[in-house]
Amino acid sequence: QRGRAGVETYRRARIAAELGDVASGLQLLSQALEEGFITVRELHADPSIAVLRRQPRFIELVAPRPTAR
């Protein structure tokens, strides 16, 4: 159920972004990713979060992470 919680949190991030609350949108997006939301394609295509994609924090959140060896 880890990913499912991320989906719900991502929906909340979308709502915050649509309302213009960039700080909350980014915080919720970060939380969604921590909860297992990993649909990177959607993050780059979803018009609801366009305002978030312009933020440096967004770029940090979706940047590829080094894998452990």
Side-chain angles (χ1 to χ4, degrees), residues 12-68:
R12 292 173 49 216
R14 291 178 68 201
I15 292 167
E18 289 174 337
L19 293 173
D21 188 348
V22 173
S24 292
L26 288 169
Q27 187 277 325
L28 288 162
L29 179 59
S30 176
Q31 182 179 336
L33 293 169
E34 289 175 16
E35 292 172 350
F37 183 83
I38 55 169
T39 310
V40 176
R41 182 176 297 163
E42 186 168 344
L43 295 177
H44 290 286
D46 186 347
S48 299
I49 63 165
V51 68
L52 302 183
R53 283 195 292 274
R54 296 190 286 262
Q55 305 300 314
R57 179 72 179 129
F58 177 87
I59 296 165
E60 293 172 14
L61 289 171
V62 299
R65 303 218 180 344
T67 56

